[in-house]
Amino acid sequence: MTAGTAPRLSALIAGLAATTLLLTGCTDNGHGTDPADQEQRPALSELDALDDPRDYEGPSTATLTDDEIDPLTHDPDQTLPVTVTSYRQDGTEEQVQITDTSRVVAIDLAGSIAASIWALGFGDTLVGKDQSTTFPGTEDIETVTSAGHTVNAETIIALAPDVVLTDGTVGPRDVIEQLRDVGITVVFVNNDASFHGAEELARQVAGVYGAAEAGELLADRIRQQVDSTIDQVAELAPAQDEDRVRILFLYLRGNAGVYYMFGSESGADELIDALGGVDVAGELGWEGMRPMTDEALVAADPDLILTMTGGIQSVGGVDGLLEEKPAIALTAAGEHRRIVDMDDGTILSFGPRSAEVIDALARAVYAPQESASDEDR
């Protein structure tokens, strides 16, 4: 990935999401984890995997084993003041001094920054969050973004934060930058949609708190958990390359008429690789995201389609998608109604729960018959 590609792609995805959410509204997917499911869910190594996951019939929903984020510790050691790098939209960098982190607002499209703060052990400093931050413990924190991921500057100012941490995926960005005019420190982190990006985000967020050691510990934990989960998934996936599941990620917003395919450097490719599948978009040389066309779908011919729960709901479920886009029915995924969805704010939220996301998706791909959350929508 070339320098600057990740920020541009993140901004593009953010703009698309914000536009379509404004048009369609934000869906409450209602996919909280049932405590009973947490107790009964077996380890990946204990699953009765499908003999051939390409032949399975019907849709599946992936859900996290546990919505909670476990902090490394509480109140890690801090050394303030500290000077950190803020990444400007034009590609330049700015040095910002942080003197206090008692009151912090964390906002981005997927809630990854707030999740990283919580995992570092600084959750009690959060006074403002984005609408994607919904994990347990954050219920009483003020939400400062609207249904279209638009920032409410007045709400942020009223919270009197010491620092606003963001990555440019919510906005308008100039509104956020104007917060400086009232004396609020604003830091833009570089938030790459990848597992390595999740590690780097942990380091950057920890840097703002003057807690570099905690950042390294969290980055190590994310890497170890992701690597371990990928190894476990490899035992479920077919051993031969020709037998691997061909997967395509579709971004759907039916009411807005928005249909996109996600390719390399979108984050979807990282998920598909982690699942031991074949990223058909990457195979065809697609980068970023591109409008979905009948020709492209037929050329891709995926065995399985990954998408967001709100997206599949917005097109009226699998039946609605096949009716609206008949070309999908010509693919193996359409023929088998093989759609795997996951909560909008989770599936591409690379952060402390990256390993859990891989785990949940692997269950839906390789052992959907064992998932209590599957339903034929």
Side-chain angles (χ1 to χ4, degrees), residues 265-315:
E265 300 183 352
S266 67
D269 53 332
E270 291 251 345
L271 285 180
I272 294 170
D273 288 344
L275 291 170
V278 176
D279 175 23
V280 294
E283 186 180 67
L284 294 172
W286 300 344
E287 294 184 359
M289 57 189 192
R290 56 189 292 175
M292 186 174 74
T293 64
D294 292 348
E295 294 78 10
L297 283 169
V298 173
D301 191 23
D303 299 313
L304 182 150
I305 290 172
L306 276 183
T307 191
M308 298 175 179
T309 303
I312 195 65
Q313 289 176 346
S314 76
V315 297

Side-chain angles (χ1 to χ4, degrees), residues 61-86:
T61 294
T63 57
L64 295 179
T65 303
D66 189 348
D67 289 331
E68 294 188 359
I69 296 178
D70 295 325
L72 283 169
T73 183
H74 293 283
D75 298 323
D77 292 336
Q78 291 181 260
T79 301
L80 296 175
V82 66
T83 299
V84 300
T85 300
S86 180

Side-chain angles (χ1 to χ4, degrees), residues 254 257 259 292 294 315-328:
Y259 300 85
M292 186 174 74
D294 292 348
V315 297
V318 176
D319 289 337
L321 178 61
L322 296 177
E323 180 179 352
E324 181 67 24
K325 298 294 179 181
I328 293 179

